[in-house]
Amino acid sequence: MSNDATLTSKGQTTIPKEIRDRLSMKPGDRMTFTLMPDTTVVMRVKTKSITALAGMLHKKGRKPVPVELLSQ
């Protein structure tokens, strides 16, 4: 998928509707831009909060690990 956009004099642009729709973006969503060595720019939409990750790695019978032990 390829879409064009224009940069304004204020350094702003509009993400094309087709891309916003495919990414399920809504007003207020945050994005991260990463500049790759070959000058490609990768944009990631940050739609999930850290609390949404809670329990994703849970396995039956495994005890939870306290946060303090995770950084050791």
Side-chain angles (χ1 to χ4, degrees):
M1 173 187 325
S2 179
N3 287 293
D4 294 330
T6 302
L7 187 68
T8 69
S9 61
K10 292 183 178 183
Q12 299 173 336
T13 190
T14 300
I15 299 168
K17 183 174 181 353
E18 182 180 1
I19 292 174
R20 292 191 319 264
D21 290 347
R22 291 277 307 262
L23 296 175
S24 301
M25 293 179 74
K26 54 191 176 305
D29 282 349
R30 300 197 45 89
M31 295 153 279
T32 298
F33 295 89
T34 305
L35 181 60
M36 306 304 284
D38 67 351
T39 71
T40 299
V41 176
V42 176
M43 181 197 77
R44 290 184 178 91
V45 181
K46 300 169 88 176
T47 57
K48 294 185 180 182
S49 73
I50 193 71
T51 57
L53 301 176
M56 286 184 69
L57 301 177
H58 176 73
K59 287 189 177 178
K60 262 187 176 173
R62 181 184 284 174
K63 292 183 181 181
V65 177
V67 174
E68 298 78 29
L69 296 178
L70 293 176
S71 61
Q72 293 182 352

